[in-house]
Amino acid sequence: MLHTSDWHLGRRPVGGIGEYSNIRYEDYFNAAEYIVDIAIEKKIDVFIIAGDLFDRSSLLPDILFKTEKILEKLRNNNIKTLLIEGNHDKIYTHEDSWIKYLENKGLVMVLSLRKKMRNIYLLQ
């Protein structure tokens, strides 16, 4: 099992879009892919992303496309990917989310809090 969190894919430095901003933008995807490649190399069976896969709940197509490609590498290597939706991933005005979209595509299994019993949360 490999545990990660806070990928913040799609993040850019504050300021205008330029060469520096584009390089930093790509760094997040490169780091995520590097971790995925290690998981594949080590033959990890379960890969966990514990929140904040994305930097924002509103995504540009490029962010979603690159994320799907990274997660497809895990699926294609029979690595089960468990994901917990983080506060940056939530779309507070809708029931739908990009996390649900990724789950519907079979790229992740979403863990969510279901009920509380004696201060222990059971994950669904």
Side-chain angles (χ1 to χ4, degrees):
M1 175 172 32
L2 191 140
H3 170 264
T4 68
S5 69
D6 297 284
W7 288 18
H8 288 277
L9 299 177
R11 183 170 175 80
R12 286 188 182 273
V14 175
I17 295 176
E19 183 180 353
Y20 174 78
S21 178
N22 290 336
I23 291 169
R24 297 291 73 84
Y25 172 82
E26 291 298 331
D27 281 346
Y28 287 88
F29 292 100
N30 293 335
E33 190 160 18
Y34 176 77
I35 294 167
V36 165
D37 289 342
I38 288 173
I40 293 167
E41 176 187 319
K42 301 288 185 188
K43 300 182 186 334
I44 300 299
D45 54 349
V46 177
F47 192 98
I48 299 172
I49 305 169
D52 293 341
L53 173 64
F54 299 114
D55 193 55
R56 295 192 162 99
S57 60
S58 59
L59 299 182
L60 295 172
D62 182 62
I63 297 167
L64 187 58
F65 176 78
K66 289 178 180 196
T67 302
E68 286 181 87
K69 292 298 173 200
I70 292 168
L71 295 173
E72 283 171 358
K73 288 178 81 170
L74 291 166
R75 182 180 64 191
N76 293 343
N77 283 276
N78 298 314
I79 298 173
K80 188 177 292 187
T81 303
L82 306 178
L83 190 137
I84 299 169
E85 187 174 50
N87 65 312
H88 285 250
D89 303 317
K90 290 187 182 296
I91 300 174
Y92 292 99
T93 58
H94 302 286
E95 283 296 313
D96 269 340
S97 74
W98 293 114
I99 302 303
K100 286 182 186 176
Y101 166 81
L102 295 172
E103 184 176 43
N104 289 339
K105 288 202 69 169
L107 295 172
V108 299
M109 292 175 52
V110 177
L111 299 175
S112 60
L113 294 176
R114 192 173 69 187
K115 61 182 177 179
K116 181 180 175 183
M117 292 177 52
R118 295 189 199 144
N119 296 326
I120 298 173
Y121 290 93
L122 302 176
L123 294 177
Q124 185 174 328

